[in-house]
Amino acid sequence: MEKYLSLSGNHSSNKRSLEGLSAFGSLEELILDNNLLGNDLVLPGLPRLHTLTLNKNQITDLECLLDHLAEVTPALEYLSLLGNVACPNELVNLEKDEEDYKRYRYFVLHKLPNLKFLDARKVTKQEREEALVRGAFMKVVKLKASSDCGAPSPKSHYTPLPSASRELTSHRGVLGKCHYVYYGKNSEGNRFIRDDQL
């Protein structure tokens, strides 16, 4: 009986490539790194699976994946999703920071409370407690652009000018005043100038 299976580097995004896993009911470790797997990932019931790595794939829908894993892998203790859009990580996306990653961990632990390791880091007692209290609220929601949300149409361009000044033929000058005092606390530009040169 196989207890460990690695399909790393298979580069197949076809769901049928994972259909054969149903023959491995006693599988305990499964590595599916770097296989171009997406949100259509469907695993068969693997009741003994305790380790699953899905690193460097194309998974974007975290909640859907976690709901599926909770259903088909009840014994899961180690999960790694590094390198996916669903895992906010500064190494993959510079717009993400440590706070995004913490919220991600709390949400994953809320959905899969039996995890002992997440993304090669041990789950701490404090993280587990935080996930129980706030994990359900840590889901990252992306706003969808729709016409009824007041989004500008593609034909109209944003302009900071008042509506009366937007027409090129009726343009009048606009004057604004900004009060800004420069103190130079963080400037290094004057550090080589001596007092007698001022």
Side-chain angles (χ1 to χ4, degrees):
M1 287 196 176
E2 293 288 330
K3 291 190 177 194
Y4 171 82
L5 184 62
S6 174
L7 297 175
S8 183
N10 190 18
H11 295 295
S12 174
S13 61
N14 193 343
K15 288 193 288 188
R16 288 172 288 195
S17 66
L18 299 177
E19 287 176 357
L21 289 177
S22 58
F24 300 95
S26 61
L27 193 64
E28 294 178 2
E29 296 180 24
L30 180 59
I31 298 174
L32 295 171
D33 295 350
N34 201 20
N35 277 284
L36 301 176
L37 297 170
N39 294 330
D40 58 349
L41 172 68
V42 177
L43 293 173
L46 299 168
R48 292 180 154 179
L49 190 74
H50 60 76
T51 302
L52 176 63
T53 65
L54 293 163
N55 299 318
K56 295 183 180 178
N57 282 294
Q58 298 175 344
I59 299 167
T60 58
D61 189 349
L62 182 63
E63 186 172 22
C64 181
L65 174 70
L66 297 177
D67 289 341
H68 178 63
L69 292 178
E71 182 182 330
V72 298
T73 59
L76 194 63
E77 295 177 347
Y78 178 93
L79 176 65
S80 186
L81 298 171
L82 293 171
N84 290 288
V85 175
C87 174
N89 187 319
E90 289 177 278
L91 298 174
V92 176
N93 187 346
L94 295 176
E95 295 176 0
K96 304 298 180 186
D97 60 8
E98 186 63 29
E99 288 301 313
D100 292 323
Y101 186 69
K102 281 182 185 178
R103 285 190 294 274
Y104 153 81
R105 285 182 68 88
Y106 296 147
F107 185 69
V108 172
L109 293 172
H110 167 73
K111 290 285 193 175
L112 302 172
N114 295 330
L115 286 182
K116 294 181 181 177
F117 285 87
L118 177 58
D119 299 331
R121 273 184 27 194
K122 188 174 183 175
V123 175
T124 64
K125 182 180 178 184
Q126 185 265 339
E127 282 180 317
R128 198 172 300 284
E129 291 170 357
E130 189 74 18
L132 283 172
V133 175
R134 295 189 183 100
F137 308 109
M138 297 294 175
K139 177 183 175 187
V140 177
V141 178
K142 295 179 184 174
L143 294 175
K144 295 181 180 177
S146 64
S147 59
D148 59 352
C149 292
S153 67
K155 292 181 180 177
S156 68
H157 298 285
Y158 171 75
T159 176
L161 297 174
S163 58
S165 302
R166 290 183 187 165
E167 295 296 324
L168 295 176
T169 56
S170 66
H171 178 69
R172 293 179 289 166
V174 178
L175 176 65
K177 187 175 179 181
C178 177
H179 180 67
Y180 178 75
V181 178
Y182 175 72
Y183 292 105
K185 290 181 180 177
N186 298 320
S187 173
E188 294 186 21
N190 295 333
R191 69 180 183 168
F192 299 109
I193 299 176
R194 296 185 309 259
D195 288 339
D196 63 337
Q197 294 175 329
L198 294 174

